Amino acid sequence: MQNRLEVKVSRVIALIDANNFYASCERVFDPRLVGRPVVVLSNNDGCVIARSAEAKELGIGMGEPFFKVRDLVKEQNVVVRSSNYELYGDMSSRLMDVLEQFSPDSEVYSIDEAFLELEKSAPGELRKLGAEIRDRVRRQTGLPVSVGIAETKTLAKVANHLAKRSRRAESVLNLVESSYLDLALERTPIEEVWGVGRRQSARLRSYGILTALQFRAADDDWVRRKMTVTGLRTVHELRQIRCLELGQSHAHQHSIIVSRSFGEAVWSIEELRAAISHFTTRGAEKLRKRRLAAAALSIFARTGRYKFQPSGQAGRSGQAAEPFSGSVTVDLGLATDSTLELMQAAQQAVSAIYQPGIGYRKAGIILTGLAPSDNAPLRLWDTARYEHERELMSRIDAINARHGQDTVRCGIFQSEGRWLARLDQRSNRFTTRWPEVMTLR
DNA sequence: TCTGGGGTCCTAGGACCC
DNA sequence: TCTGGGGTCCTAGGACCC
């Protein structure tokens, strides 16, 4: 038995973050892309969501709409890829497997980054450990990563940013017991501090706070008033006071969202039903995979964010209508992970939300009230049917896992439709689909 | 006309993250 | 013409309770 009151060994936090993750994944499987500008596009080929260093140098911005850079892309011979989440997800789990070798305490923070808790040691030793992490990830996955080490998560983020930016391409920076700490904070503009977004940084700038160093020196009460406890925590973290502990990712997820922008506007209720059915199927699969059940299902549907041209009778006036956005929530009564039950609720919600004469550009479902499905309350009636349904679901999942998505599917939906996203330039799913593995000649 | 005080729970919306 | 998807946390305000 461990004595729970024993003195805690002093520990530090490392943040490991892949460089240009999606673009780097593409490079692992196509080395011809090395040294060339590469961009990866969002779903529907709408926005640029990843850029290689060369593409950044051309001035292509993060989140920039693709049509705005199309000419530049052509001129500069930039490689363009549609997003391939199946490939990136698989590469992500390989990355995390390597990181786990270095510490039992880790938090997978996003698809391409993780925090590791490390035992504190001499600054030189920590730096060496960081370099070893970087090198092993490279050897075992082919991915380039940067490592930042510090006393708190927020400072580890600062360290990681600076490591990425360093011209010497060291890609490892240790700020624990570092005489460089203050200078590092001075070189970190306020908007780059983790937790300070566009809104707050504009406000802070108007008060003359331009750097992380100045923010660290701000008065506690003032920060609390202006930015609530969230802002105060960030300031404390910059002062090496740990406020944010490592979380267990997925320990208790609160919601699941499945949503897509449509390839073309959707006007009819049949097409909207088809799309929502598709999202609901994906959502139910996510639930079962994570062993969760949902107590409520919401759907939302909206027009484009930027303008909206009404059609037919609604557009007769010729005036542009306001962008429309609506949502409907259905209480499921008892938590469920059954595609059939969720589908019923979703269709009910579609009927409630649909309005003719609106060109929907995006829709989605949100599952909430999540709880482990093993703890789901027992049904008082219909127990036999419910058990039967669960059995059916697990068989369908097994078949689809083996033979591909939607080999067997529930209900009425067509898997084709104008609402499907465009993905014109997707690379092969090299690691997860047999027909797409690499062939060597 | 006058009209307490304190608590909980829920939801919508804002801000942030990658 | 063409602008992603999936999450979290916090707060304010209303409904409701005693």
Side-chain angles (χ1 to χ4, degrees):
Chain A
M1 282 284 275
Q2 289 258 325
N3 178 359
R4 306 193 63 162
L5 293 176
E6 74 190 316
V7 179
K8 213 173 161 188
V9 185
S10 182
R11 316 194 89 188
V12 296
I13 294 176
L15 173 66
I16 297 89
D17 188 323
N19 304 341
N20 319 321
F21 182 58
Y22 298 163
S24 297
C25 287
E26 296 290 342
R27 275 181 178 166
V28 169
F29 295 92
D30 190 352
R32 289 172 305 175
L33 305 188
V34 175
R36 292 187 60 189
V38 178
V39 299
V40 177
L41 304 182
S42 63
N43 208 289
N44 225 11
D45 291 348
C47 294
V48 174
I49 53 168
R51 309 152 294 155
S52 70
E54 298 79 5
K56 286 176 191 172
E57 287 214 349
L58 291 175
I60 298 175
M62 177 67 177
E64 199 154 7
F66 182 56
F67 70 89
K68 287 189 178 172
V69 294
R70 185 165 284 152
D71 290 346
L72 182 64
V73 160
K74 205 162 181 187
E75 238 167 65
Q76 300 288 335
N77 211 9
V78 176
V79 178
V80 177
R81 292 276 193 268
S82 301
S83 41
N84 186 345
Y85 287 105
E86 216 168 297
L87 180 69
Y88 310 149
D90 191 60
M91 289 303 286
S92 174
S93 44
R94 293 174 186 211
L95 166 64
M96 301 311 167
D97 286 348
V98 178
L99 297 184
E100 259 176 32
Q101 300 165 11
F102 288 92
S103 171
D105 301 310
S106 67
E107 175 189 348
V108 177
Y109 180 66
S110 76
I111 192 163
D112 74 331
E113 66 189 297
F115 292 101
L116 291 185
E117 205 155 72
L118 303 174
E119 307 253 330
K120 188 169 174 179
S121 56
E125 294 297 309
L126 282 175
R127 217 215 137 267
K128 256 166 66 187
L129 180 57
E132 200 191 323
I133 294 173
R134 174 198 62 195
D135 294 341
R136 200 185 294 178
V137 170
R138 177 67 115 164
R139 270 200 315 277
Q140 299 190 359
T141 68
L143 294 168
V145 295
S146 300
V147 182
I149 306 171
E151 269 88 356
T152 66
K153 282 177 148 183
T154 306
L155 286 171
K157 276 275 185 185
V158 169
N160 190 290
H161 268 141
L162 287 169
K164 276 207 165 77
R165 258 193 350 216
S166 96
R167 252 178 294 134
R168 292 177 301 161
E170 289 274 353
S171 64
V172 177
L173 179 60
N174 171 41
L175 288 181
V176 175
E177 289 175 16
S178 165
S179 54
Y180 180 60
L181 178 59
D182 283 11
L183 190 57
L185 293 179
E186 196 178 356
R187 289 185 177 174
T188 302
I190 188 65
E191 58 272 12
E192 274 180 27
V193 174
W194 192 44
V196 181
R198 245 187 38 241
R199 279 310 244 273
Q200 301 285 22
S201 56
R203 272 180 89 194
L204 289 170
R205 279 185 173 276
S206 76
Y207 291 110
I209 295 176
L210 314 179
T211 68
L213 190 68
Q214 290 172 314
F215 192 37
R216 187 182 71 177
D219 175 69
D220 278 17
D221 289 338
W222 183 84
V223 173
R224 195 180 212 292
R225 265 202 320 278
K226 298 282 178 196
M227 307 175 65
T228 79
V229 291
T230 321
L232 190 56
R233 275 204 284 261
T234 300
V235 168
H236 284 187
E237 287 253 318
L238 290 174
R239 294 177 191 157
Q240 300 181 315
I241 302 165
R242 264 173 88 150
C243 302
L244 305 168
E245 293 303 321
L246 260 61
Q248 303 83 46
S249 34
H250 280 232
H252 187 48
Q253 196 177 7
H254 295 112
S255 66
I256 287 176
I257 301 176
V258 182
S259 73
R260 296 282 181 280
S261 295
F262 297 141
E264 275 178 46
V266 159
W267 298 90
S268 74
I269 192 167
E270 290 76 22
E271 275 184 303
L272 189 59
R273 278 194 197 292
I276 292 288
S277 296
H278 178 80
F279 303 150
T280 306
T281 305
R282 296 287 89 82
E285 285 166 0
K286 284 189 185 185
L287 278 176
R288 295 194 291 269
K289 202 164 183 180
R290 297 172 197 182
R291 298 180 164 283
L292 294 169
L297 176 147
S298 308
I299 72 168
F300 65 89
R302 63 153 213 240
T303 59
R305 260 183 299 176
Y306 302 92
K307 56 183 153 216
F308 167 54
Q309 270 309 105
S311 81
Q313 307 194 330
R316 202 169 37 187
S317 63
Q319 290 172 338
E322 287 298 300
F324 169 86
S325 167
S327 74
V328 173
T329 301
V330 180
D331 191 339
L332 294 164
L334 292 172
T336 181
D337 63 1
S338 155
T339 304
L340 297 178
E341 289 187 333
L342 291 165
M343 200 76 100
Q344 245 181 346
Q347 294 312 330
Q348 189 186 323
V350 172
S351 307
I353 206 172
Y354 176 78
Q355 291 179 32
I358 288 181
Y360 296 96
R361 300 293 321 212
K362 177 173 180 169
I365 67 151
I366 305 176
L367 299 166
T368 51
L370 304 186
S373 47
D374 304 335
N375 300 350
L378 293 173
R379 312 267 157 152
L380 288 178
W381 57 90
D382 253 6
T383 47
R385 186 189 60 81
Y386 183 65
E387 285 309 313
H388 181 74
E389 214 168 287
R390 297 201 72 180
E391 175 68 24
L392 178 65
M393 288 302 131
S394 76
R395 294 204 181 186
I396 289 176
D397 288 342
I399 293 171
N400 287 341
R402 184 156 178 182
H403 298 286
Q405 197 175 67
D406 291 337
T407 304
V408 179
R409 53 177 200 258
C410 297
I412 48 165
F413 85 85
Q414 323 112 280
S415 57
E416 306 271 305
R418 281 178 298 173
W419 51 273
L420 275 175
R422 293 183 297 265
L423 286 172
D424 297 334
Q425 301 161 88
R426 188 177 62 200
S427 48
N428 283 351
R429 292 162 288 192
F430 297 103
T431 61
T432 51
R433 303 267 174 153
W434 283 114
E436 298 182 24
V437 296
M438 201 172 279
T439 49
L440 296 178
R441 296 190 188 88

